[in-house]
Amino acid sequence: MLRRYPDAGEPLSCKPITKGLLNHGYRVSTTRGSYFLKHHLDDSTGDRATIVRQHRATQRLQSLGVPVAPPVQDTEGDTVTEIGGRCYALHPWVDGLHRAGAQLSTDQSERLGALLGAVHTGLEQVMGAGAGLAQRTGGSVGSGGSVRAVGSGGSVGSIESVGSVGSVGSVGHRSPDPADTFALIDDLLAVARRRHSRDAFDELAEHRLLERRTLLERHADRRPPTPGPPATGWVHGDFHPLNVLYRGGDPVAILDWDRLGVQPRAEEAVRAAAIFFVLPAGKLELEKVRAYARAYRRAAGASAAELAAAVHRVWWERLNDFWILRWRYCLDDRRADPQFPAVSALAVWWTREYEAVCEAFTG
């Protein structure tokens, strides 16, 4: 692999990096420094053309002053290496730390919102406002797809569109249909109740599923409409604490552009805030959200009305979203289990404090 990058030096060590739910990453140390080797595994974003598009976007964003870490070019000027049908990319190693919202001051939260606004306006410049709707637009949104056919062994069969962190709707960005969610809740409940060795997680899952069904029945008439084209644009697609590196109090690199695509822009701002600023009890730090959102609106040129619509759509998305339970019960993948208590509590708290949350994003 490194022979394709003669300026990278001779390899000394290669250590796997455990953080992250998608793809594989390695810290490669050489005689000339350290690098991040990314092994692209996700089928929805791991083809060469999609990766090249991501790389070109980061190269252009860097020229605009956005903190990114574009890949290293090989001797042919390429940034993607294919070995055994899989794609790899070599990036410069960036020293820094991940910081959740609890570790950010109000001023730093404001700078975070301005940074995301700069990403969106920068992408509009380098990608074009409507330069071909992305065919793949992943991200942590919506319940999407369906899970049907509960098997006798406590598993769920016929899994459709079980994404990495939830599934995005097709072009048009339709909001989740509660009828589909009710069916999904029934299936997940059946699996959770059928498990032979139930634990505290299964008990909490059953409680939250029943609670969510009640909330959806109460608010089913509040399903948001499909947003029009002016609300959409190119977005990072997965903007959260593990994809932003800090050195001291300043962000130095935005990582993992796998989900680069065309989506409602303000929804990414709301979705990111719901990840950065959620507390373990499932509440949002609204003072920080307010500072973040004001800075985002200024930097992105987004109106309060656009943010209000995004708040409503992401709230609805959260009511209908069970990606963590789908990973656990459908894929037997428990890596996201630790996130479930706060994520599931947030949907309930957000419903109760809907007006306060909306005001924090728009005030």
Side-chain angles (χ1 to χ4, degrees), residues 106-120:
T106 302
D107 288 343
Q108 290 169 333
S109 301
E110 183 177 358
R111 292 203 293 273
L112 180 67
L115 175 62
L116 183 56
V119 168
H120 288 173

Side-chain angles (χ1 to χ4, degrees), residues 166-178:
S167 303
V168 175
S170 59
V171 174
H173 310 288
R174 290 178 299 173
S175 59
D177 187 334

Side-chain angles (χ1 to χ4, degrees), residues 227-245:
T232 62
W234 287 92
V235 300
H236 176 277
D238 204 14
F239 194 81
H240 59 70
L242 290 182
N243 284 339
V244 181
L245 276 179

Side-chain angles (χ1 to χ4, degrees), residues 270 284 286 289 311 349-350 353-362:
V270 175
L284 294 178
L286 293 184
V289 169
V311 167
W349 178 86
W350 192 336
E353 302 294 336
Y354 181 91
E355 297 300 332
V357 175
C358 192
E359 193 281 329
F361 278 99
T362 61

Side-chain angles (χ1 to χ4, degrees), residues 206-217:
E206 180 176 351
H207 169 72
R208 291 303 190 193
L209 286 164
L210 293 171
E211 180 181 54
R212 197 76 63 83
R213 184 161 63 189
T214 299
L215 285 175
L216 275 170
E217 289 170 348

Side-chain angles (χ1 to χ4, degrees), residues 77-151:
D78 294 327
T79 57
V80 179
T81 298
E82 289 191 56
I83 300 176
R86 290 293 188 178
C87 293
Y88 299 80
L90 191 69
H91 297 257
W93 182 265
V94 181
D95 286 318
L97 298 173
H98 302 292
R99 303 186 69 177
Q103 300 169 295
L104 301 179
S105 67
T106 302
D107 288 343
Q108 290 169 333
S109 301
E110 183 177 358
R111 292 203 293 273
L112 180 67
L115 175 62
L116 183 56
V119 168
H120 288 173
T121 56
L123 285 172
E124 186 173 5
Q125 293 181 54
V126 304
M127 303 296 290
L133 283 176
Q135 294 301 308
R136 301 176 179 88
T137 55
S140 309
V141 303
S143 60
S146 62
V147 181
R148 301 297 299 160
V150 180

